[in-house]
């Protein structure tokens, strides 16, 4: 409908998650009228983020150096590991200020429908981290939905004979939802009330 | 909450219209996991659009050349002019396929609250286009809301003694809404039933 490049921009914006055709058009016209410096800043941060951001070699969280901020922090308790699906879940847990241990980011959850099995997740790396015996508790903080529960069940079976304390976040999280959308208080309560799954 | 550049990206995305903090985070993580070529394409189209797109010297619509596609098209009726607020309204009217005349894009609507008066709109340019006497009908297609009605009233007073047919889009448009969100049929009906405002 629009001339060449404007339509190209609308198309590209429309590929972003949660941006429908009307939003894409609205954003495109905002861009057309915006200060060129603002638009250049957005464009450069988009390319920069792809160049600079990598994934922490230890935990799989997003990082700008070889290790992420949390893995580099010597004050974090190295004996407790919180296993989450995505980097945004790390941020959600950090916001509660309830947890002072370390993380392991799986990179997703088991989902036969999307063809994601245990081999596509960072489970081998998790087992490697457990091999030196420093970690004594693992908190399974996957999403309280079908895929997250399947992943937690899989990990429980895998880890329950290693002599670790193995816990799952307490109920309090709304079932069927995403961990990243829980409010701080609910998620904090869920941490406090975490329960054993291996007994 | 995130490390440097990831937070920068979330902040920049959050400045776009209709993108809240959660959407910005979701888009940022999509970008982190997306194909680098896709992200580069979005970044380059963002800067390109600011370099290439200008506004048609005749009607004020977005254009990649000196004149927009519609002003360059010799098949469009040069005697009927449809006055709209924004370029996206041109697209909305074009979708109805009811109108074969030309456009004039005001660049907004009169809004005392936002400090936009007639001088901030392309009204001088509109009067200039009328000076050669070729245009015989003007359709006032501003939004059916407070600012759009104020603009239409202002233009009616300004133009009613020039001996033109002066019309306003018919009712059928939902009052209080934005022209760009009207569906094709409703907007088409509004074109068919346009009424004189100067008698």
């Amino acid at each position: 409908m629009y001339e060449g490049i404007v339509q190209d921009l609308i198309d590209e914006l429309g590929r972003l998650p949660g941006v429908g055709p009307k939003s894409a058009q609205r954003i495109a016209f905002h861009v057309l009228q915006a200060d060129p410096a603002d638009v250049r800043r957005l464009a450069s941060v988009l390319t920069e983020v792809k160049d600079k951001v990598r994934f922490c070699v230890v935990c799989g969280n997003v990082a700008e150096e070889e290790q992420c901020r949390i893995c580099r922090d010597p004050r974090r308790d190295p004996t407790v590991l919180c296993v989450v699906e995505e980097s945004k879940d790390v941020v959600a847990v950090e916001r509660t200020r309830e947890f002072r241990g370390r993380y392991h980011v799986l990179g997703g959850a088991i989902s036969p429908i999307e063809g994601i099995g245990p081999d596509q997740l960072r489970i081998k790396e998790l087992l490697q981290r457990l091999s030196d015996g420093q970690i004594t508790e693992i908190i399974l903080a996957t999403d309280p939905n079908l895929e997250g529960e399947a992943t937690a069940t899989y990990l429980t079976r895998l880890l329950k004979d290693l002599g670790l304390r193995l816990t799952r976040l307490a109920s309090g999280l709304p079932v069927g939802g995403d961990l990243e959308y829980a409010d701080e208080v609910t998620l904090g309560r869920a941490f406090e009330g975490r329960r054993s799954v291996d007994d």
Side-chain angles (χ1 to χ4, degrees), chain A:
Chain A
M1 261 311 195
Y2 289 92
E3 303 203 24
I5 185 86
V6 178
Q7 189 61 52
D8 290 349
L9 178 59
I10 293 172
D11 292 345
E12 291 297 332
L13 291 168
R15 288 201 184 94
L16 298 174
V19 179
K22 282 286 174 198
S23 309
Q25 182 181 298
R26 178 174 288 250
I27 294 172
F29 274 92
H30 169 86
V31 164
L32 281 175
Q33 278 150 15
D35 186 332
D38 289 348
V39 178
R40 255 198 309 275
R41 212 168 49 239
L42 172 59
S44 79
V45 83
L46 276 166
T47 40
E48 218 182 321
V49 91
K50 294 302 282 184
D51 292 339
K52 278 198 184 167
V53 174
R54 14 185 194 165
F55 295 93
C56 175
V57 294
V58 177
C59 74
N61 192 8
V62 290
E64 282 186 54
E65 302 183 27
E66 196 174 76
Q67 291 188 20
C68 75
R69 221 159 41 166
I70 294 167
C71 286
R72 291 198 314 264
D73 186 347
R75 293 164 304 177
R76 304 293 299 228
D77 183 352
T79 67
V80 189
L81 201 62
C82 178
V83 177
V84 295
E85 293 178 20
E86 308 277 2
S87 286
K88 48 194 166 195
D89 300 327
V90 171
V91 174
V93 173
E94 285 295 290
R95 264 199 301 260
T96 70
R97 298 170 189 275
E98 289 277 338
F99 181 67
R100 298 301 303 161
R102 292 163 186 268
Y103 291 94
H104 192 79
V105 180
L106 293 171
I110 294 171
S111 169
I113 291 165
E114 293 179 50
I116 300 171
D119 293 346
Q120 273 85 58
L121 306 177
R122 298 181 68 261
I123 291 175
K124 222 178 344 178
E125 290 85 344
L126 174 61
L127 294 175
Q128 234 154 30
R129 288 182 78 178
L130 301 178
S131 61
D132 69 355
Q134 198 182 24
I135 293 160
T136 57
E137 176 175 358
I138 290 184
I139 302 168
L140 300 173
T142 51
D143 283 343
N145 58 20
L146 203 67
E147 292 82 11
E149 293 291 351
T151 309
T153 304
Y154 178 86
L155 290 174
T156 301
R157 241 175 302 174
L158 196 69
L159 305 172
K160 71 178 161 131
D161 297 326
L162 297 181
L164 302 158
R165 182 166 185 228
L166 199 58
T167 56
R168 177 103 178 91
L169 291 188
S171 66
L173 293 177
V175 172
D178 282 331
L179 194 144
E180 59 167 314
Y181 292 118
D183 66 271
E184 288 88 316
V185 179
T186 308
L187 194 51
R189 291 253 171 81
F191 257 81
E192 281 164 17
R194 63 187 185 267
R195 57 188 167 77
S196 269
V197 282
D198 56 349
D199 52 17

